[in-house]
């Protein structure tokens, strides 16, 4: 898997923003109305943070977590749409951007599988040519 900084930045930014939004919601007066949003934002933050770690590490399990992360980011984005604040709009946009990053991670994984099934093979004639030169030299 080829590591891209933009994907990592998207994941960590989403984790930070969702965590901050959950904290803001937990400090509001009508916290009972915000429970679902708080929990979804905390879930989203944790998923994105963990995926960023697996992605940087180059773990083969990053693809599996990316699929789950897409679902959580979609739920989180849908939930924050009900709020009329600038911060909620930021969370919505960040979750949508992160979904695109997760799709890229999944696509990279499938490309890696194709490369493993069809490895670049060095032609035997190259090695034969090397051996032949040594034989001619000696």
């Amino acid at each position: 898997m080829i590591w891209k900084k933009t994907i990592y930045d998207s994941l960590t930014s989403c984790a930070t923003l969702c965590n901050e939004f959950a904290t803001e919601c937990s400090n509001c007066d009508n916290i009972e109305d915000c429970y679902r949003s708080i929990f979804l934002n905390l879930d989203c933050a944790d998923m994105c943070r963990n995926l960023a770690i697996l992605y940087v590490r180059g773990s083969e399990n990053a693809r599996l977590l990316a699929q789950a992360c897409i679902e959580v980011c979609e739920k989180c984005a849908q939930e924050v749409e009900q709020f009329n604040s600038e911060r909620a709009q930021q969370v919505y946009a960040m979750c949508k951007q992160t979904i695109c990053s997760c799709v890229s991670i999944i696509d990279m994984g499938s490309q890696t599988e194709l490369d493993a099934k069809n490895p670049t093979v060095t032609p035997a004639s190259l090695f034969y040519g090397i051996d032949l030169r040594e034989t001619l030299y000696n």
Side-chain angles (χ1 to χ4, degrees), residues 12-72:
T12 55
S13 296
C14 190
T16 302
L17 193 59
C18 286
N19 199 37
E20 288 173 358
F21 189 72
T23 302
E24 289 173 14
C25 287
S26 65
N27 292 328
C28 71
D29 294 334
N30 56 346
I31 191 169
E32 293 82 16
D33 298 335
C34 297
Y35 282 144
R36 179 171 164 75
S37 181
I38 292 168
F39 292 137
L40 281 173
N41 275 276
L42 290 174
D43 288 351
C44 188
D46 289 342
M47 292 288 280
C48 290
R49 188 177 304 106
N50 288 329
L51 179 55
I53 292 168
L54 292 180
Y55 177 66
V56 167
R57 191 183 303 154
S59 172
E60 62 190 36
N61 294 311
R63 282 184 26 242
L64 298 173
L65 191 57
Q67 292 171 341
C69 191
I70 289 171
E71 293 177 25
V72 174

Side-chain angles (χ1 to χ4, degrees), residues 60-129:
E60 62 190 36
N61 294 311
R63 282 184 26 242
L64 298 173
L65 191 57
Q67 292 171 341
C69 191
I70 289 171
E71 293 177 25
V72 174
C73 282
E74 284 176 347
K75 289 179 184 177
C76 186
Q78 289 172 353
E79 182 66 23
V80 298
E81 266 187 315
Q82 70 179 342
F83 297 99
N84 290 329
S85 70
E86 186 176 328
R87 177 69 87 174
Q89 292 173 356
Q90 290 172 347
V91 171
Y92 177 84
M94 192 79 249
C95 285
K96 291 296 185 179
Q97 181 180 338
T98 302
I99 289 169
C100 294
S101 295
C102 290
V103 169
S104 296
I105 291 172
I106 293 169
D107 289 345
M108 282 181 206
S110 60
Q111 183 64 28
T112 304
E113 286 177 358
L114 288 175
D115 293 344
K117 289 179 184 174
N118 302 321
T120 304
V121 178
T122 304
S125 60
L126 178 64
F127 293 111
Y128 177 74

Side-chain angles (χ1 to χ4, degrees), residues 3-13 52-53 55-56 101:
W3 190 83
K4 294 182 181 177
K5 186 176 181 334
T6 55
I7 293 174
Y8 176 78
D9 288 345
S10 174
L11 292 167
T12 55
S13 296
I53 292 168
Y55 177 66
V56 167
S101 295

